[in-house]
């Protein structure tokens, strides 16, 4: 049965990490094995800055950023391959040259199209290097271009998958000829061959797409943490690992802002009952976390999510009328048009409250539109706390000393919105 491994940027961030990845894969001899790789380290951020420079007027800044990208990747190649670096360095140089040509060709096109033609080069560069290193380490490897495998529409920066066409394209990846297939996360292509992207942090989704189409046995996402936790260990000093949760629970946590698994990833796996395992690339002996159909463990441990940099909009009809269904429909329609997601929605007789991420480029046009027809009260710099499977005592303890500006609750989930100034530092989960 086919296995799909996904390695994020942290797992290949430097020479030592790439060598560690190669050593890790020697522990897994079963084939077919498909390895989905993200861009190295913070390369996607660097490529987005390069995109901005290409569309701006500071050409020197663009050339400096392009040269830094080239130099960093070539330095990695030299350190890995030494005297044998020539062929790999040539492929890296060719990709950098193609990237530069695409920026020149598309700099005056609409930004989403330009973005998709250029930012995915981080994955093309990383997989070129990783694939060559696995060969050097003695593992038979085949590099495959995800732009020719994952077929999408032309909705740039958030492309939708053509599942039937993709299944046809990827069938050969499951050939049991002893080779590891290395391909890119994040990117795809239209039937006409135009590059698309699946959305930021879309490499997990790429692994799920391939696993779904191939009916894989399992997907493993390798991270610098041993698995999934009931809260962010960087914010909660007593977070505990969740060794087993269901697809539905993981989707809920992702929806509310937990960052370990990309929200789009789990649906395709759930449809085929393919388990997803999160493991540590730093410690193979550490117990992993598995997401599957079993729901027995979902409610045993409360889970908590903090979402920072939130904005609360309290929207009222100007004529002091009710916030009826037509008005709610109008407001939520404008939210969709702005490309924003409401992290919390609360309605009253004469108001609709929306808690939104603070994306100024999308938020400001929405606020301007709403202010033209409604009375809008705006609260900035907020933190949204979401608690799954907690009781009243837990919620009260977590809220102590904090002023709740809004709240929403149902049978399994409670949300409260606080001023961020009251949410600094480390939190503790009352036991």
């Amino acid at each position: 049965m086919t296995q799909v491994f996904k390695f994020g940027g942290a797992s290949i961030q430097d020479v030592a990490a790439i060598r560690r990845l190669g050593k890790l894969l020697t522990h897994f001899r079963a084939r077919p094995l498909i390895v989905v790789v993200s861009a190295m380290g913070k390369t996607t951020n660097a490529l987005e800055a390069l995109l901005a420079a290409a569309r701006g007027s500071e050409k020197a800044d663009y050339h400096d950023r392009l040269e830094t990208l080239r130099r960093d990747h070539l330095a990695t190649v030299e350190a890995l391959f030494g005297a044998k670096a020539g062929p790999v360095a040539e492929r890296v140089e060719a990709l950098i040259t193609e990237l530069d040509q695409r920026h020149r060709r598309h700099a005056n096109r609409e930004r989403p199209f330009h973005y998709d033609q250029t930012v995915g080069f981080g994955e093309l560069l990383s997989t070129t290097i990783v694939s060559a290193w696995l060969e050097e380490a003695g593992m038979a490897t085949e590099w495959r271009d995800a732009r020719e495998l994952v077929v999408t529409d032309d909705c740039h920066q958030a492309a939708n998958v053509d599942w039937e066409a993709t299944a046809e394209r990827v069938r050969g990846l499951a050939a049991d000829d002893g080779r590891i297939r290395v391909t890119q996360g994040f990117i795809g292509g239209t039937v006409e061959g135009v590059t698309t992207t699946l959305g930021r942090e879309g490499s997990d989704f790429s692994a799920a797409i391939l696993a779904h189409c191939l009916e894989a046995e399992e997907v493993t996402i390798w991270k610098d943490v041993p698995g999934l936790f009931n809260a962010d260990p960087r914010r909660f000093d007593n977070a505990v690992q969740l060794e087993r949760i269901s697809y539905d629970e993981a989707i809920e946590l992702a929806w509310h802002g937990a960052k370990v698994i990309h929200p789009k990833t789990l649906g395709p796996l759930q449809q085929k009952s393919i388990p997803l395992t999160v493991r540590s690339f730093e410690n193979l002996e550490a117990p992993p976390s598995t997401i599957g159909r079993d729901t027995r463990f979902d409610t045993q441990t409360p889970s908590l999510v903090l979402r920072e940099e939130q904005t609360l909009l309290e929207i009222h009809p100007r004529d002091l009328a009710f916030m009826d269904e037509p008005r709610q429909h109008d407001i939520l329609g404008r939210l969709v048009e702005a490309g924003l997601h409401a992290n919390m929605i609360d309605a009253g007789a004469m108001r609709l409250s929306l808690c939104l991420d603070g994306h100024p480029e999308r938020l400001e046009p929405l606020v301007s539109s709403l202010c033209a027809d409604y009375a809008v009260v705006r609260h900035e710099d907020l933190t949204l706390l979401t608690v799954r499977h907690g009781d009243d005592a837990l919620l009260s303890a977590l809220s102590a000393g904090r002023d709740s500006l809004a709240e929403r609750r149902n049978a399994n989930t409670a949300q409260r919105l606080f001023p961020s100034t009251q949410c600094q530092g480390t939190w503790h989960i009352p036991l």
Side-chain angles (χ1 to χ4, degrees):
M1 291 286 289
T2 303
Q3 293 273 348
V4 179
F5 285 1
K6 183 264 176 175
F7 292 92
S11 63
I12 55 163
Q13 63 185 342
D14 54 27
V15 171
I18 295 172
R19 287 178 173 148
R20 180 178 57 208
L21 183 153
K23 185 177 180 180
L24 182 154
L25 288 179
T26 64
H27 294 274
F28 300 92
R29 297 293 184 180
R31 303 289 185 268
L33 174 60
I34 300 164
V35 174
V36 177
V37 181
S38 299
M40 295 174 60
K42 300 297 184 181
T43 300
T44 301
N45 292 339
L47 284 162
E48 288 180 340
L50 183 68
L51 175 77
R55 299 179 70 81
S57 58
E58 296 294 331
K59 300 305 178 186
D61 180 41
Y62 169 78
H63 289 297
D64 288 346
R65 292 182 181 278
L66 184 68
E67 178 57 25
T68 297
L69 186 74
R70 171 185 173 277
R71 185 175 62 247
D72 288 350
H73 282 81
L74 287 176
T76 299
V77 171
E78 292 290 339
L80 282 171
F81 297 95
K84 300 179 181 179
V88 186
E90 287 179 9
R91 294 200 288 275
V92 168
E93 290 273 22
L95 286 169
I96 296 293
T97 298
E98 184 182 352
L99 172 62
D100 184 33
Q101 291 171 346
R102 289 191 176 213
H103 275 307
R104 296 175 188 277
R105 190 182 314 138
H106 303 305
N108 294 321
R109 295 286 300 270
E110 59 276 16
R111 185 183 183 280
F113 180 87
H114 185 189
Y115 183 101
D116 279 6
Q117 306 319 302
T118 54
V119 173
F121 270 76
E123 280 72 15
L124 296 171
L125 287 162
S126 66
T127 53
T128 295
I129 296 170
V130 168
S131 180
W133 176 248
L134 297 182
E135 285 281 356
E136 178 67 16
M139 286 170 269
T141 306
E142 181 185 29
W143 183 92
R144 296 295 301 270
D145 191 334
R147 296 171 297 181
E148 299 174 357
L149 297 172
V150 179
V151 184
T152 73
D153 63 12
D154 60 357
C155 182
H156 291 289
Q157 290 193 261
N160 300 294
V161 177
D162 183 331
W163 293 95
E164 184 176 349
T166 299
E168 183 67 27
R169 295 270 189 100
V170 306
R171 187 173 296 134
L173 293 179
D176 190 7
D177 58 5
R179 291 185 293 176
I180 298 172
R181 266 73 187 192
V182 177
T183 191
Q184 307 79 38
F186 180 53
I187 59 176
T190 67
V191 288
E192 296 81 16
V194 178
T195 305
T196 57
T197 62
L198 303 173
R200 192 70 194 273
E201 307 296 337
S203 291
D204 289 359
F205 187 33
S206 297
I209 293 167
L210 299 178
H212 174 94
C213 291
L214 293 169
E215 300 190 358
E217 180 180 11
E218 185 180 28
V219 172
T220 302
I221 295 180
W222 295 90
K223 288 186 170 288
D224 54 1
V225 294
L228 306 172
F229 286 78
N230 73 324
D232 185 345
R234 296 168 297 182
R235 297 299 309 274
F236 292 85
D237 59 11
N238 59 339
V240 297
Q241 186 174 346
L242 301 171
E243 293 192 7
R244 289 190 177 276
I245 61 172
S246 70
Y247 297 113
D248 289 343
E249 184 64 20
I251 289 170
E252 285 286 344
L253 291 173
W255 175 261
H256 288 298
K259 299 186 186 307
V260 174
I261 303 297
H262 190 278
K264 290 182 179 179
T265 300
L266 295 164
L269 302 180
Q270 185 176 23
Q271 287 182 16
K272 297 288 182 73
S273 297
I274 300 169
L276 184 150
T277 298
V278 179
R279 296 187 63 176
S280 169
F281 59 72
E282 295 179 338
N283 181 9
L284 292 182
E285 303 303 318
S289 295
T290 299
I291 301 170
R293 288 212 171 274
D294 195 341
T295 64
R296 290 176 297 167
F297 306 97
D298 288 352
T299 61
Q300 289 185 351
T301 306
S303 293
L304 299 87
V305 179
L306 286 177
R307 204 159 189 153
E308 312 282 1
E309 298 180 3
Q310 299 295 288
T311 296
L312 177 66
L313 301 181
E314 294 180 344
I315 307 161
H316 306 264
R318 288 191 182 279
D319 57 3
L320 302 181
F322 291 116
M323 181 58 74
D324 55 15
E325 286 80 2
R327 287 186 174 89
Q328 292 187 35
H329 181 270
D330 173 54
I331 292 167
L332 295 177
R334 298 188 198 196
L335 183 73
V336 172
E337 289 177 2
L340 288 168
H341 164 67
N343 302 319
M344 183 175 73
I345 301 176
D346 186 41
M350 300 178 67
R351 65 162 178 83
L352 181 67
S353 296
L354 303 176
C355 177
L356 309 171
D357 292 324
H359 297 300
E361 71 281 359
R362 296 181 181 179
L363 183 60
E364 297 310 323
L366 172 65
V367 172
S368 296
S369 170
L370 292 172
C371 286
D373 299 305
Y374 299 91
V376 179
V377 179
R378 180 171 176 171
H379 304 271
E380 300 278 6
D381 196 21
L382 306 176
T383 295
L384 178 63
L385 169 68
T386 300
V387 180
R388 292 275 297 166
H389 309 298
D391 55 20
D392 289 339
L394 174 61
L395 191 62
S396 295
L398 290 167
S399 303
R402 300 182 172 98
D403 300 319
S404 178
L405 298 179
E407 179 176 351
R408 173 186 170 273
R409 301 188 70 168
N410 60 30
N412 297 314
T413 306
Q415 294 181 293
R416 282 187 178 173
L417 198 59
F418 305 110
S420 292
T421 54
Q422 299 176 359
C423 300
Q424 303 302 313
T426 303
W427 291 51
H428 187 82
I429 306 171
L431 301 177

